[in-house]
Amino acid sequence: MFWKFDLNTTSHVDKLLDKEDVTLQELMDEDDILQECKAQNRKLLDFLCQQHCMEELVTLITHEPPLDMDEKVRFK
């Protein structure tokens, strides 16, 4: 018996990137964001290299998150 495999599956990250109003926060909440970066997902890398994303990433790295922020996002 032959099994059918769909090797052209689109990741959830790619689906998010297809939205015209996707935010960095939405992407950062995805569990497979690091795997997509490691796989050199071109759409994701192009999005992350945009000026506004780079500025937001630097801010996220260099500033403490607000205390009232949801713990899941705060310590992710």
Side-chain angles (χ1 to χ4, degrees):
M1 176 182 267
F2 292 98
W3 294 93
K4 282 185 124 179
F5 292 105
D6 183 10
L7 299 176
N8 295 323
T9 59
T10 305
S11 73
H12 195 255
V13 170
D14 281 336
K15 290 177 185 173
L16 281 175
L17 289 168
D18 287 338
K19 288 176 30 182
E20 71 179 56
D21 60 343
V22 66
T23 65
L24 179 62
Q25 189 65 44
E26 286 178 287
L27 287 169
M28 296 297 285
D29 284 339
E30 285 302 308
D31 290 333
D32 59 345
I33 189 79
L34 290 178
Q35 288 83 358
E36 292 290 326
C37 286
K38 288 178 184 179
Q40 298 181 1
N41 179 326
R42 180 52 44 199
K43 284 171 76 173
L44 176 59
L45 296 177
D46 288 343
F47 180 84
L48 293 176
C49 288
Q50 294 176 13
Q51 181 71 28
H52 68 91
C53 287
M54 293 301 274
E55 290 172 357
E56 191 173 345
L57 286 169
V58 169
T59 300
L60 289 171
I61 293 169
T62 59
H63 294 89
E64 286 286 329
L67 294 175
D68 61 349
M69 182 180 275
D70 179 19
E71 274 191 46
K72 177 185 176 227
V73 177
R74 189 167 180 236
F75 296 110
K76 196 163 192 181

